[in-house]
Structures are given as structure tokens and as C-alpha cells.
Amino acid sequence: MHLRLLRNATLKLDYAGRTILIDPDFGPRHSRPSFTGRSPNPMVELPTSTDDILEGVELVIVSHLHEDHFDSVAMELVPKHLPIICQPGDEAEIRSAGFEDVTPLLDTTVWNGITLTRREGSHGLGPVVEKMGPVMGFSLDATGEPSVYWAGDTVLYSPVADTIARTSPDIIVTHSCGARWDGDLIVMDAEQTLAVCAASPHSIVVATHMEALDHATIGRPDLRHAAEAGGIAAARLLIPQDGEMLAFARS
């Protein structure tokens, strides 16, 4: 398995002989408004061209329709014939953008030998969830490949902890920038990311969704410092740079 972080939540996976694109956000640097007044978004450019990102892609997974997960530029550039898997409730809007093969992930589906399972997520806790709207995570499993749990835009709460305990994934992908909305935490911060590491000592945690949006409260150095202070080895918590490719051995 190869995992390449492009920017924020956008990942490109080579998994079980297939190429999957997750949450494509293709907008140029500073092309969208600020969330906090600190900077227009996204704060950084993509590390490579959109043509390079889309090369070989066979499936697109869209966790939810916030613009930093499926923006208007990606909606225009992603080929309309590519299959898209999304959370239930988003399929009509995606189809209205011209996409021909859109499947809501209700529970579990198998695509070309890869089992995809929808996982619960909460984009914060309390009243902020109504503002953020529904989100999903998902698991990937295939013969001879490491099991993957992509947690998505969620804080650490009981369903996420239960998924980790029940499935014992080889790889856990977290969104770990500590973003806040009206003061409320809406994705994991350093403390919650380290709690994921502690809850699953045999998993490799890959922290993404960092240093791209202006409502983030921690950056990569902050998370690495917290991990070192907490005794989490660098090999157990990977914090890739934009454009970096990670390789994982088959399980």
C-alpha cells in the first residue's frame, strides 16, 4: 500500500492494485475566504498538478461536502465517469454536478476486491455538530493489504474509540489540526491524536489535515513535540508533509 498526502484531507492511495482518491480539494492557494480572519484558504498550494493527482485514479471517495473536502474546482476537474462513493444524503448534490456513478456508502460494499465500511464520525460535539453537518469515516480491507481506518473530520468520541477497539486497524488516518469553530473543537487536536495512539498501540497513526486552513490551532511541529513529550515514537505517529508518499508493507 502507498499513501500520498496531497494537502489537508486529500489523499491518493494505491491499495490492492487500485488507485483511490479521497476528498479532492483542488482550489488554488488563497482562493477561498478565511474562516477566522487569519488567512484566506487554503493557505498553501497543492504540491503537484491536478493532472498528476488524477492520473490513474479509479475511484473517488467523498466523506462530506465541505469545500475543503470536495471543492468546486475538483467538481469541475474530476472526470464525470469516475465512480464516487459518498455518505448517504450527499449523492443528489454530487449527481447534480454531472457525476454519473455515485453510490452512498450505507454500510459495507465491495469494490474490485476492496471492502469499504462506513464508520461514524462527529464533526465536533454539542451544538456545533448542527452547524458542521453529518460526516463519515470509513475502513478499507483487502486480502494481503494492511487494514485502514480513515477517521475523517471527527473528534475522538465513543464510536471512533469503539471502531478502533473492535477492528484493530493496521493504519489509522486522523485529522489532527485541532480546528475550531466558534471556539468548539471540530477535529482531533494533539491530545486526542495521542489518545488514538495510546488506544491502539499496534497501529500506525497517520496525522493529516494540517497547516492548510486558518481555523487550525496546531501545526506539525506542535503535534510532533506533543508526541515526543508523551513518549510516542516517531515510527508510530507519522506526520507527512504535503506531497509526501508513505509505503506500508502488506499485513
Side-chain angles (χ1 to χ4, degrees), residues 19-85:
T19 301
I20 301 170
L21 182 64
I22 300 170
D23 278 8
D25 171 12
F26 290 169
R29 179 175 182 259
H30 290 174
S31 61
R32 298 195 298 266
S34 168
F35 292 132
T36 66
R38 183 160 65 96
S39 170
N41 289 303
M43 298 193 299
V44 294
E45 291 286 7
L46 287 165
T48 188
S49 70
T50 54
D51 286 344
D52 179 48
I53 294 170
L54 288 169
E55 184 177 359
V57 170
E58 299 167 277
L59 174 70
V60 180
I61 303 175
V62 175
S63 66
H64 63 300
L65 293 178
H66 285 175
E67 202 162 15
D68 60 307
H69 294 262
F70 197 23
D71 75 322
S72 59
V73 180
M75 283 193 176
E76 183 69 27
L77 294 180
V78 171
K80 297 299 189 285
H81 71 274
L82 283 178
I84 293 183
I85 290 177

Side-chain angles (χ1 to χ4, degrees), residues 63-122:
S63 66
H64 63 300
L65 293 178
H66 285 175
E67 202 162 15
D68 60 307
H69 294 262
F70 197 23
D71 75 322
S72 59
V73 180
M75 283 193 176
E76 183 69 27
L77 294 180
V78 171
K80 297 299 189 285
H81 71 274
L82 283 178
I84 293 183
I85 290 177
C86 66
Q87 70 171 342
D90 288 349
E91 61 269 25
E93 185 170 344
I94 296 172
R95 288 177 185 140
S96 73
F99 292 95
E100 303 161 5
D101 184 358
V102 184
T103 303
L105 186 58
L106 301 174
D107 184 15
T108 295
T109 191
V110 178
W111 176 82
N112 285 305
I114 300 171
T115 300
L116 298 97
T117 304
R118 182 176 176 271
R119 303 298 183 188
E120 296 298 320
S122 187

Side-chain angles (χ1 to χ4, degrees), residues 1-248:
M1 168 187 162
H2 290 87
L3 178 157
R4 188 183 187 194
L5 171 65
L6 279 311
R7 181 182 64 190
N8 202 46
T10 306
L11 301 181
K12 190 174 181 179
L13 300 184
D14 292 321
Y15 191 79
R18 300 291 177 172
T19 301
I20 301 170
L21 182 64
I22 300 170
D23 278 8
D25 171 12
F26 290 169
R29 179 175 182 259
H30 290 174
S31 61
R32 298 195 298 266
S34 168
F35 292 132
T36 66
R38 183 160 65 96
S39 170
N41 289 303
M43 298 193 299
V44 294
E45 291 286 7
L46 287 165
T48 188
S49 70
T50 54
D51 286 344
D52 179 48
I53 294 170
L54 288 169
E55 184 177 359
V57 170
E58 299 167 277
L59 174 70
V60 180
I61 303 175
V62 175
S63 66
H64 63 300
L65 293 178
H66 285 175
E67 202 162 15
D68 60 307
H69 294 262
F70 197 23
D71 75 322
S72 59
V73 180
M75 283 193 176
E76 183 69 27
L77 294 180
V78 171
K80 297 299 189 285
H81 71 274
L82 283 178
I84 293 183
I85 290 177
C86 66
Q87 70 171 342
D90 288 349
E91 61 269 25
E93 185 170 344
I94 296 172
R95 288 177 185 140
S96 73
F99 292 95
E100 303 161 5
D101 184 358
V102 184
T103 303
L105 186 58
L106 301 174
D107 184 15
T108 295
T109 191
V110 178
W111 176 82
N112 285 305
I114 300 171
T115 300
L116 298 97
T117 304
R118 182 176 176 271
R119 303 298 183 188
E120 296 298 320
S122 187
H123 212 340
L125 295 174
V128 74
V129 174
E130 185 173 347
K131 300 176 185 178
M132 294 296 102
V135 296
M136 75 169 185
F138 57 86
S139 296
L140 299 175
D141 293 278
T143 301
E145 291 284 12
S147 57
V148 178
Y149 170 37
W150 188 91
D153 265 10
T154 186
V155 294
L156 179 59
Y157 74 134
S158 292
V160 171
D162 291 345
T163 294
I164 293 169
R166 188 173 65 255
T167 64
S168 299
D170 298 311
I171 311 296
I172 303 171
V173 180
T174 60
H175 292 176
S176 298
C177 69
R180 290 183 176 271
W181 195 268
D182 293 337
D184 292 313
L185 189 69
I186 56 173
V187 299
M188 296 185 201
D189 57 8
E191 181 180 0
Q192 292 192 356
T193 303
L194 299 192
V196 169
C197 294
S200 191
H202 301 298
S203 302
I204 295 174
V205 176
V206 181
T208 66
H209 205 296
M210 304 199 76
E211 299 179 358
L213 302 172
D214 77 326
H215 61 338
T217 61
I218 63 167
R220 291 178 174 96
D222 305 310
L223 181 57
R224 179 59 68 202
H225 178 75
E228 291 172 351
I232 303 296
R236 287 208 51 238
L237 175 60
L238 306 181
I239 312 173
Q241 298 295 318
D242 292 350
E244 186 174 349
M245 177 84 78
L246 304 177
F248 300 96

